[in-house]
């Protein structure tokens, strides 16, 4: 155990600079007690000389070795990537066909006595279908 290890409450009260300073000041003890990551796979990447210069400069600016910086940036990018690719990418014509199909379905629903609820102010609200017949019955009951 580290001699002056802060409590969880003390760590949460620290800002990032204070946490970094504590870890730097105690890096030898932290390193002794931590389990090193197994980095036994090599990934080769081809880059142009100018790209290599940019990557090396970015790693240096972050105070990291190129390998560690590339690993960090790659893992951050992977965490931000969508979990799955989109189910489909539609062309302009396919989009128009889909819009026409939706309009046809809405027309069929309205002719069947079902209308779309357009009272919601937010476009993010889910689609709600309401029966016109029920609305008419309620209106008739309230008029009596």
């Amino acid at each position: 155990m580290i001699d002056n290890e802060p409590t969880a409450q003390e760590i949460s009260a620290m800002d990032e600079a204070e946490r970094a300073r504590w870890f730097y000041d105690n890096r030898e003890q932290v390193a002794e007690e931590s389990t090193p990551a197994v980095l036994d796979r090599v990934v080769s990447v081809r880059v142009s000389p100018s790209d290599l210069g940019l990557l090396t400069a970015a790693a240096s600016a972050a105070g990291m070795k190129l390998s560690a910086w590339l690993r960090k940036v790659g893992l951050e990018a992977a965490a931000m990537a969508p979990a799955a690719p989109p189910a489909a990418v539609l062309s302009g014509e396919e989009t128009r066909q889909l819009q026409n199909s939706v309009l046809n379905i809405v027309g069929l629903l309205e002719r069947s006595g079902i209308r779309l609820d357009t009272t919601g102010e937010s476009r993010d609200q889910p689609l709600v279908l309401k029966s016109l017949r029920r609305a008419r019955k309620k209106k008739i009951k309230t008029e009596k």
Side-chain angles (χ1 to χ4, degrees):
M1 180 162 173
I2 298 173
D3 297 334
N4 62 346
E5 186 171 2
T7 65
Q9 191 174 23
E10 292 169 335
I11 290 173
S12 65
M14 292 180 188
D15 64 18
E16 192 164 339
E18 291 170 325
R19 277 194 298 275
R21 199 173 314 110
W22 184 88
F23 276 103
Y24 182 79
D25 292 343
N26 296 281
R27 63 189 177 279
E28 291 171 0
Q29 281 184 285
V30 170
E32 286 175 11
E33 294 180 8
S34 65
T35 305
V38 178
L39 303 176
D40 60 351
R41 299 292 186 261
V42 176
V43 177
S44 298
V45 179
R46 294 181 185 270
V47 295
S48 69
S50 62
D51 287 347
L52 180 59
L54 289 171
L55 295 170
T56 303
S60 293
M64 301 174 77
K65 291 182 179 180
L66 179 60
S67 176
W69 184 82
L70 287 171
R71 183 172 42 256
K72 175 184 173 288
V73 171
L75 290 171
E76 287 172 354
M80 298 301 290
V89 178
L90 301 177
S91 69
E93 179 57 32
E94 291 169 324
T95 302
R96 282 186 287 284
Q97 289 175 355
L98 179 60
Q99 288 172 334
N100 289 337
S101 296
V102 169
L103 290 173
N104 288 336
I105 291 169
V106 169
L108 286 170
L109 290 170
E110 288 176 347
R111 286 191 294 278
S112 299
I114 299 172
R115 66 177 172 82
L116 296 177
D117 182 9
T118 57
T119 59
E121 293 184 17
S122 172
R123 291 190 149 305
D124 296 333
Q125 292 182 355
L127 178 66
V128 179
L129 301 176
K130 289 188 174 183
S131 172
L132 291 174
R133 292 183 185 132
R134 287 185 187 168
R136 287 185 192 136
K137 287 180 183 177
K138 287 183 182 177
K139 188 175 181 181
I140 292 169
K141 287 180 182 179
T142 56
E143 290 175 356
K144 291 182 181 180

